[in-house]
Amino acid sequence: MIKVGILGVGTVGASVANILEENADIIEARAGKKIVVKHGVVKNLSKDRGVNIPLSDNVDDILNDPEIDIVVELMGGVEKPYAVVKKALESGKAVVTANKALLAYHRYELQEIAGDTPLMYEASTAGGIPIIGAMRNGLTANHIESIQGIMNGTTNYMLTKMINEGAKYDEILKEAQDLGYAEADPTFDVGGFDASHKLLILASIAYGIDAKPEDILIEGIENITQTDVTFAKEFGYEIKLLGIAKKVENGVELRVHPTMISQNSMIAKVDGVMNAVSVVGDRVGETMYYGAGAGGDATASAVIADIVDIVRGNHGPMLGYKKGLEGSGLELLPEEEIVTNYYLRMEVDDQSGVLASITRELEKFNISIESMLQKPHSNDERVKLLFTTHKCQEAKIQEAMVVLKKLDCIYGEIAMMRIEK
Ligand code: HSE
């Protein structure tokens, strides 16, 4: 019999305990051994957790229990779970974690500490979708060319409602929180940080890139307006908050930002709280994974898959490789060197010569306009100008925006969104 201890019996922890009990027959058949939860640890013992397992409020009740084989870490946070997971691994206990923030900051140290002791984390990325298993095992023969995905359900729900129903930002954020998908601090969702944690985990498996959230380009959905939504619709785009990892000539691009993508692409059709990840391998071509990115049972499904793999002895190295990947070593491409197409939105005087002065400035940066739309403004003397550009370098568009903002004919901030073709 295998004994499990759960640190953090919230929504996911309670689902783990209940599924292990309710689906015990098939789980035992698949694992080859009976798996029981011996103990759970919570912060607040007075709250009813809806589980049939003994609870206490002291992590040492699990860490110091020699009978517990597998520790499931569902505490949240970064430094406290790091100390706890380290202690569990050092005492030879296998660990399963759903904690993406912990891994975004400490995955390489934990890999070192774990050595041959299993440390599994399927639930950390895209909830119930078995993307970690797919990348560590199923795609192991491939050089990964790109990963592109909707890795945050809250923002996908919000964007879907904004685009399909014209819903207001604050109201839908509240709705997403009520659905139980949003992080305790929703700025993690809307600011793109939650998605960045997941992207960094995938980028380590695919490319061996040891970066932290602070090292990569992260933008949230806070500044998207109905004007952007209208433009996207008219030009055949959908707006999605994407996590993108892409191998290019000089390194690997890692970025999270709202993105205009063709309405015909599969990812564009992923609506509501669902997640989807497309991975392109050099041999297999494009593969795509879709499913619930959060929620108690969906996330617990991934946690239990890890427990079963550990019991079967199927775990392998934490990041899927023992030595460095890609012989020459792939480096994170500096943000300024990213090359893509851009969308710009600005408010300008409705006068002759305005367009000419804008394109004159863009020409100085060698930025070429691909399409353009003019929309009325509430002030009759102004209009909204919306452009897309041909491919150019991030540094050029950023510099051009600074120069454009200084023109007398342009008012307020210039909004920018990246386009993926
Ligand atoms: N807040 C996350 C989301 C939960 O909305 O997808 C899963 O990490």
Side-chain angles (χ1 to χ4, degrees):
M1 185 194 291
I2 296 292
K3 294 196 176 156
V4 173
I6 304 178
L7 297 170
V9 188
T11 314
V12 177
S15 284
V16 171
N18 291 331
I19 296 172
L20 280 173
E21 187 184 329
E22 289 156 19
N23 286 2
D25 48 354
I26 53 154
I27 294 171
E28 182 176 346
R30 288 174 174 148
K33 281 189 189 155
K34 196 173 171 60
I35 301 169
V36 293
V37 180
K38 183 173 179 209
H39 198 92
V41 167
V42 293
K43 258 200 225 149
N44 176 0
L45 275 170
S46 59
K47 209 162 141 190
D48 179 24
R49 310 282 166 168
V51 288
N52 299 320
I53 56 169
L55 295 175
S56 74
D57 58 4
N58 185 353
V59 289
D60 288 333
D61 291 343
I62 287 180
L63 296 179
N64 295 339
D65 182 343
E67 281 194 0
I68 289 183
D69 308 288
I70 301 176
V71 175
V72 174
E73 186 278 304
L74 303 170
M75 300 161 65
V78 177
E79 296 313 325
K80 190 158 179 223
Y82 175 64
V84 167
V85 167
K86 184 169 182 271
K87 197 167 166 198
L89 290 167
E90 283 170 348
S91 63
K93 294 187 190 306
V95 173
V96 175
T97 180
N99 189 335
K100 58 235 157 173
L102 166 69
L103 296 172
Y105 285 96
H106 291 301
R107 59 200 181 282
Y108 285 94
E109 289 119 293
L110 287 172
Q111 173 178 245
E112 201 61 35
I113 295 163
D116 290 328
T117 306
L119 170 51
M120 306 282 277
Y121 49 99
E122 181 61 74
S124 66
T125 303
I129 304 176
I131 184 68
I132 302 290
M135 304 247 347
R136 287 171 79 240
N137 305 319
L139 302 179
T140 202
N142 291 263
H143 289 274
I144 302 301
E145 288 173 356
S146 66
I147 304 167
Q148 194 180 75
I150 296 170
M151 301 176 191
N152 181 270
T154 302
T155 45
N156 204 46
Y157 179 83
M158 293 175 70
L159 287 171
T160 303
K161 288 263 178 170
M162 278 169 80
I163 292 166
N164 296 351
E165 299 167 24
K168 296 241 164 53
Y169 186 91
D170 292 341
E171 287 162 22
I172 29 172
L173 174 56
K174 171 83 181 50
E175 271 181 47
Q177 285 172 303
D178 291 345
L179 279 172
Y181 271 62
E183 297 300 304
D185 173 359
T187 51
F188 267 75
D189 295 302
V190 295
F193 304 106
D194 173 75
S196 80
H197 295 164
K198 298 163 183 170
L199 182 72
L200 286 165
I201 294 169
L202 296 180
S204 276
I205 303 173
Y207 304 111
I209 299 273
D210 182 4
K212 299 215 165 16
E214 294 73 22
D215 304 328
I216 69 169
L217 192 165
I218 305 173
E219 281 177 16
I221 65 165
E222 302 95 330
N223 298 323
I224 298 173
T225 65
Q226 281 301 332
T227 307
D228 306 325
V229 169
T230 308
F231 176 90
K233 279 187 181 159
E234 283 186 36
F235 281 79
Y237 294 115
E238 201 67 54
I239 300 174
K240 295 289 182 193
L241 181 77
L242 293 187
I244 299 172
K246 205 188 282 182
K247 189 155 79 171
V248 292
E249 207 180 328
N250 309 325
V252 177
E253 291 181 4
L254 288 186
R255 45 194 170 103
V256 174
H257 51 69
T259 315
M260 287 193 189
I261 45 168
S262 164
Q263 279 166 356
N264 298 324
S265 67
M266 282 208 276
I267 264 188
K269 300 182 199 310
V270 174
D271 281 341
V273 291
M274 301 310 273
N275 283 195
V277 186
S278 149
V279 184
V280 179
D282 64 340
R283 300 304 161 119
V284 70
E286 183 175 15
T287 59
M288 178 122 185
Y289 311 84
Y290 168 88
D297 278 4
T299 309
S301 163
V303 168
I304 295 170
D306 280 347
I307 295 175
V308 170
D309 263 350
I310 293 169
V311 176
R312 287 169 169 166
N314 253 352
H315 55 87
M318 180 193 159
L319 293 170
Y321 47 89
K322 288 210 161 177
K323 291 194 197 133
L325 279 176
E326 305 271 2
S328 55
L330 285 170
E331 298 288 332
L332 175 67
L333 191 81
E335 202 172 303
E336 314 79 65
E337 291 178 33
I338 288 168
V339 174
T340 191
N341 299 72
Y342 294 86
Y343 157 85
L344 296 176
R345 162 173 46 86
M346 57 195 84
E347 203 179 299
V348 302
D349 279 326
D350 190 9
Q351 274 173 17
S352 63
V354 165
L355 258 185
S357 45
I358 292 171
T359 51
R360 203 163 34 242
E361 295 304 332
L362 290 174
E363 191 191 355
K364 290 179 192 158
F365 295 94
N366 208 12
I367 296 172
S368 155
I369 292 173
E370 185 187 59
S371 61
M372 205 206 87
L373 192 64
Q374 182 171 309
K375 288 273 178 195
H377 190 276
S378 51
N379 175 339
D380 280 349
E381 290 171 4
R382 294 185 198 169
V383 288
K384 291 176 192 167
L385 272 189
L386 317 166
F387 296 104
T388 64
T389 73
H390 286 287
K391 276 201 163 45
C392 74
Q393 212 183 34
E394 180 82 16
K396 298 279 177 219
I397 201 89
Q398 296 287 1
E399 285 168 40
M401 282 165 64
V402 172
V403 172
L404 285 176
K405 257 179 74 176
K406 291 187 186 142
L407 294 183
D408 289 340
C409 60
I410 294 183
Y411 296 87
E413 293 300 315
I414 299 172
M416 178 267 269
M417 204 182 310
R418 296 167 190 85
I419 303 171
E420 278 298 300
K421 299 222 179 198

